[in-house]
Structures are given as structure tokens and as C-alpha cells.
Amino acid sequence: MTKQIEDDLAEINKRISHIGGLVEQALDKSLEALLERNARLAREVMNSDKVVDDLENEVEELCLNVLALRQPVARDLRVVCGILKINSDLERMADLAVNIAERAEVLSNVPPLPFRPDVTRLAATAKRMLRDSLDSLVKQDAVLAYSVWKADAEADKLYRELIGQAIQFMREHPDRIGDVMHLVGALRNLERLADHTTNIAEDVIFMVGGRIVRHHMREFGVEARLEPG
Amino acid sequence: MAVSASALVALLSGSLLAGWVIGLAISAAVALHGARVASKPLGDLARDAERVRLADYRSTVPSGQFEESFAVTQALSDAGSALNASRFREESSRAELGSLLGAMAEGVLAIDAQERVLMMNASATRMVGLREPLAVGAQWWIELRFPELEQALRRVLAGHEVTPFDARAPLGDGSLLSLAINPLRIEGGIGGAVIVLSDVTAMRRLEQMRIDFVANVSHELRTPLSIVLGSLETIGDSGTDEESRKRFLEIAERNARRLHAIVTDLLDLSTIESQGDTMPMEPLDLERAVRASAEALRGAAQAKQVRLTLEESLRNSSHTVLGNAQRLDQVFTNLIENAIKYTPAEGEVRVLALQQGEQIVIEVCDSGIGIPREHLHRIFERFYRVDRSRSREMGGTGLGLSIVKHVVKAHGGQVEADSVEGQGSTFRVELPIHSPQA
């Protein structure tokens, strides 16, 4: 029985890391499409979403099977519950990547906008948050998960700065308001994707330590600093 | 007498007892010693056997004490040597295999049926973008998220065939990898898989360039050809009046000329490419050659009201290069002609020369429309157009800069472009100065 539940959990972990990899790839491509004005890459992302949707269903089924047939307790139970939540987070994130790609396709057909350096920085931050949150999940690393949560403040700050610049630019170039709104749309999706990575981080901390830190991350942070590792 | 007899009996029986005791003691001592002597080699043998287990095959039993123990010792020692030799063979062949796999340009990753790592070589580590190879025995997907590999592996381990496919490297620089996955067959099924990775970034780029080239050539040739055919058809039509005939004749001629120019340039380009190092060359005065090319274009500049300036550095200096006069004229004519073409009226084109170490540099600077940054690194490609519609309007075959690049390369030099959009462009040609001694 113990061996079986271990095998089942390993399979679930592998599938969820597979979904994570696909989301990572979709985000990479959609951001490259946005930054390099590459419409072909953008369309690739839009066409690949179905795979994630199918895998989401598979993982959910596996989780429900384990709950029903193996009746996991303690940490095993937390892992299954955590993955159920992360699963739907990831599916949503894949949709957000598709939204970014859609905006990128439109933007590749209009003259370039002048925000490239800052968009690059926000993109790099979001990509790192996603990578770290997925790493913290497969390695069950609560300290890494906490660093994801901390990085969100930086992502928010970059996002607010960019929106400020965009508003300024629209004032000066009213003829380009339409184009800028597409960029703002892409950025909002990116910022929300980063928020989802903090959800994953919170669930990982719950899986590892059995503490619900959602909405209480600040207090957890103090402890994580006191006892690293 | 009785006394003496009884005393004698007593004496006798006493000594008998003593003899008994002594005899017993002696025999016990002998037995004990014998046992110890006999068991010593056996103890040594036991220690030897223990050492064999620890992979130390030298025997410590002194030979020759007992016939039987000698035989056992010998057998043990022989077995030890044989084991030692086979272990050595195994270790050296493993080291050989390790260095072979390590030196391979292809990446190799082997995993078992539970997707645990069996081995990973240095190339595979580098290609996927990891700092260290995956630990043997670890599940590969914990350290590496690689959806394409995951999907393909699942199929291979389930017994399906997977044809080699391309995928972007999961971590790092976005290079393109080709993955070939083969199952490790063991009795009763599939015991794992071997993944062979190769970096195909450069190859795929070349393939793409070739495809683009063929597509471009066909397109560039077909356009004027269709115009010629269409014009001829109209001319042959009985309903066409004389004036229209004349106009269509002109159109047909202009496009036939354009076709001719493209074919000539293509042939030129292929001659230059195939000649390479064998292009006939002689020492010549580079500055004088550049001045001649520029002066020949003065009329074209005036017609466009563009000022063509030969700087002091070009007028009053002289450096000898080893070159082909006709091809170098083609280079500078091309560059200066382009500069004039893309500079609006009242603008300026400047040509100058400067020496940089062993190199002589010719710069053609214009105050024209400039080239957007993202196009700069591609303008030397054949038929590459920054703006398709405008370029064709300007004439030109789309091969000029490509010819420039190849000629300069054949001369052992290089050409670079720099530009600020809306402010102008600068083309720099660097050629090695010829020193007769060398």
C-alpha cells in the first residue's frame, strides 16, 4: 500500500512538472514573440494550449483516484491537495501566456513602441518567478518558494512603472493609444501570471510544512529567515 | 621385609600416579600445540577470504606448512588474481567508455524504465543548459523541465517508435537541439532509453537561408519575367494601338534589362564565391581606385542634388593593397551608388580613408534614411530587403551588398555597416595593406 501510494505520487509529480514545463515554454515563446515582434512564434503558442488542457484533466483524475483509492494522510494528503490547486493555477497560466501571444501578434504588425528595456526586465522577473516556483514544487523546497513570493514585489513595482510610462506616452502620442493598449494588455496578463506563481509558492509551503500561509506570508517570512533550509 | 615391600608398593603406586599425571599433562600440552599449529593457517585463510571480499588479493598464508592448506591458499590466490584481472579489465573498459562518451560532440543521456538517470555525458549537460550532469539514480525530470523529451520518452517506454525531432534547449540560450531516442531492450521488455542530442542551431539556420534564397531567386526572376510576358501578349493583341504598343515595348525592355542585371549579378556572385582565394590579384593603389569609382558617379550624384565629397584623407594618401581592380571597383561603385540612392536631395555622401595598424579602411558615409537596427546584421544577405516595395522602386538587384561582402572577403578584409535611422549610414571596408616583402 505504501509503495503504491509512493508510485502514484511520483507519477502525479512527474505530470505536474510536465505541465509546468509546457507553461514555461509557452511563456518563453510568447515573451520572445512580444520582444522580438515575431508573429510566427506567437501563433505557435496559441496553437499549443490544448495539450495543457488535456494534461490538466489527467492530473486531476490521478489526484482524485489517489484520494479515493489510497486514502492518503498527513503529508501525502497535503501533496495531493496542493497539486490539485497548483494544477488549476498552471492551466490558468497557460491561458495567460496565450493572451500575451495574441497581443504580441497584433503588436508585431505596428511600429515598435519604446518600452523594450523595461518590458525585458519585467519578462525576466516573471520568468525567474515561474522557474523558481516550479523548482520549489518538484524539489519540495519551501525556502525557494518563499523567494518567489518576495520577488512578486519587484514584479509589481516594474509593472506599475511601465503603466506610468505607457500613460505618459499615450498623452504625447494620442494616435498610438490603440497600439499602447495592446501592450498594456500583454503586461497585465504577464503581471497576473506572476501572481499565480506566488500561489504555487504558497501551496508548496503548505505541502512541505503543513501551514496555510496564503494571506499570512509575511509572518512565515520571518520564520523562513530565522531557520533557513 | 614386609615394610620394605609395602613401602615399595606405596612408592610404586605413588610414582604410577605421578607418571599418570605427568603423562596426561604432557599429552594435553602436545594436543593443544598441535591444534594451534594446525588452526593457524586456517585463521590466516579466513583473513585472506575477508581481504578478497575487500578486493585485496594478496595471500598472507605462509606457504608450505601443511600440504592441504597450501592447496587452498594457492586456489584462493589464483582466484584472487583472476578476479583482479577481470576487475581491471572492467575498470579500464569503463574508463574507456567514459572518456569516449565524454569526448563525444553529441550529448548522451541514458535512463531506466523508471526514468532514473543511468548516465549523462558532458555534451548533454552543456546542451540542455545544466551546470552539472544529472545525478545517477535521480529522476531526470526533477532537475530538468523538458516537455518534448517527456512526451517522447513516454511513447518510447510504452514501446512506440519515435522519429528524431527538433526541440529548443530547455534552459539557456534558445539553441535548437535534435533528439533521437532509442529504447534499451532487455529480456521481457524495455529497460530504459538512450537519448542522443545534437546541436542543430547552425545547420537549421543554413537550411533556412538556402530555402529563403531559392524562394527569393524564383520570386525576383519571376516578377520581371511575368511583366515581359504580359507586355508581349498585349503588343501581339490585334486591338492594341500603336502608341500603347510602343509603351509596352519600353516596359518589356526595361524588365528584360532588369532580368539581365539580376542574372549577371548572380553569375558574378557565384564566380566570386567559387574563385575565393584564387581570384587574380595585383598590387594596386587603393585610394586612387576609390577616387576613380567615386568620380564616375559624380554625374549621378549631381542629378540627385546630393553632394559627393572626397575627404582630404582620401585625396592625399596612397596605400597599396593586393587586389583585383575590376572587383574592387564593383565594391566601391556599389557602396557609393547605394549611398547616393538612399540620400535625399541636399544631402551629402562622404568618402574617406584611414589607416588602422596593418589595415587600410575606406568609409562611405551618407546622411540618408538609414537602416533600422534590427535589419543591420542581415543586409549583406542575398536579396535581403529592408523595405521590399521601396527597394524595388529604387532599382537594384538585391545582390549588390552580397557581392561587396564576398569580394572583400576574397581580399582578406571585412565590411561592416553602422546606421542611425533617419540620420544616415556608414559602410566600412577594411583591407590589409600590401607589403612587398611579405
Side-chain angles (χ1 to χ4, degrees), chain B residues 72-212:
Chain B
V72 174
T73 313
Q74 190 58 50
L76 204 57
S77 158
D78 287 352
S81 310
L83 251 174
N84 219 353
S86 84
R87 180 182 285 248
F88 176 73
R89 275 198 303 275
E90 191 194 325
E91 266 171 14
S92 63
S93 79
R94 189 183 299 163
E96 216 169 78
L97 198 65
S99 55
L100 205 71
L101 285 168
M104 268 173 78
E106 279 84 17
V108 179
L109 170 64
I111 57 140
D112 69 7
Q114 277 71 48
E115 303 202 18
R116 286 178 301 227
V117 177
L118 295 173
M119 67 89 38
M120 184 180 201
N121 74 351
S123 297
T125 311
R126 183 172 38 75
M127 280 182 204
V128 299
L130 284 170
R131 282 206 195 85
E132 280 168 26
L134 297 171
V136 171
Q139 304 259 280
W140 72 268
W141 46 267
I142 290 186
E143 292 290 336
L144 191 65
R145 272 186 297 283
F146 199 164
E148 289 94 342
L149 177 59
E150 170 93 41
Q151 258 151 358
L153 261 182
R154 211 199 292 187
R155 288 181 51 76
V156 169
L157 293 177
H160 299 286
E161 285 246 336
V162 171
T163 46
F165 61 96
D166 289 356
R168 278 153 69 103
L171 300 164
D173 55 358
S175 55
L176 199 64
L177 304 179
S178 164
L179 281 84
I181 307 178
N182 285 305
L184 280 173
R185 294 197 190 280
I186 51 165
E187 277 174 69
I190 290 168
V194 178
I195 301 122
V196 177
L197 304 138
S198 27
D199 191 332
V200 291
T201 318
M203 204 166 83
R204 294 286 181 269
R205 193 179 299 144
L206 279 177
E207 277 171 17
Q208 192 56 46
M209 271 171 75
R210 194 179 53 81
I211 292 169
D212 288 352

Side-chain angles (χ1 to χ4, degrees), chain A residues 54-215:
Chain A
D54 291 348
L55 273 165
E56 187 208 6
N57 290 344
E58 273 181 38
V59 168
E60 184 155 334
E61 211 173 303
L62 282 170
C63 286
L64 293 177
N65 269 340
V66 169
L67 285 177
L69 301 175
R70 316 262 183 249
Q71 281 128 30
V73 291
R75 186 171 176 154
D76 291 347
L77 180 61
R78 294 201 302 272
V79 167
V80 176
C81 293
I83 285 182
L84 270 173
K85 284 157 88 182
I86 289 171
N87 193 28
S88 55
D89 269 321
L90 283 172
E91 191 275 332
R92 188 78 200 101
M93 288 157 89
D95 290 346
L96 291 171
V98 170
N99 292 352
I100 295 173
E102 281 167 2
R103 306 291 184 148
E105 193 190 16
V106 177
L107 285 167
S108 71
N109 292 317
V110 304
L113 290 165
F115 310 113
R116 199 167 185 276
D118 286 314
V119 176
T120 309
R121 269 165 61 208
L122 179 59
T125 307
K127 271 160 71 171
R128 201 186 61 236
M129 288 170 73
L130 175 56
R131 194 186 60 220
D132 287 351
S133 69
L134 293 171
D135 278 347
S136 77
L137 169 64
V138 283
K139 294 174 188 167
Q140 293 286 295
D141 183 341
V143 175
L144 188 61
Y146 177 63
S147 79
V148 173
W149 182 81
K150 273 204 303 196
D152 193 40
E154 192 191 329
D156 286 346
K157 183 167 154 275
L158 283 169
Y159 172 66
R160 277 197 306 273
E161 282 173 11
L162 264 164
I163 295 300
Q165 289 177 30
I167 291 171
Q168 182 69 25
F169 183 83
M170 285 190 279
R171 277 206 193 102
E172 288 161 12
H173 304 87
D175 54 315
R176 300 214 56 193
I177 287 179
D179 300 344
V180 177
M181 284 315 290
H182 280 295
L183 181 67
V184 169
L187 295 175
R188 195 180 52 238
N189 284 312
L190 183 58
E191 194 269 337
R192 272 164 52 193
L193 196 144
D195 284 344
H196 279 281
T197 68
T198 65
N199 288 357
I200 294 179
E202 287 161 353
D203 287 329
V204 169
I205 291 168
F206 165 70
M207 286 153 106
V208 175
R211 295 196 38 179
I212 294 176
V213 290
R214 212 165 260 206
H215 320 300

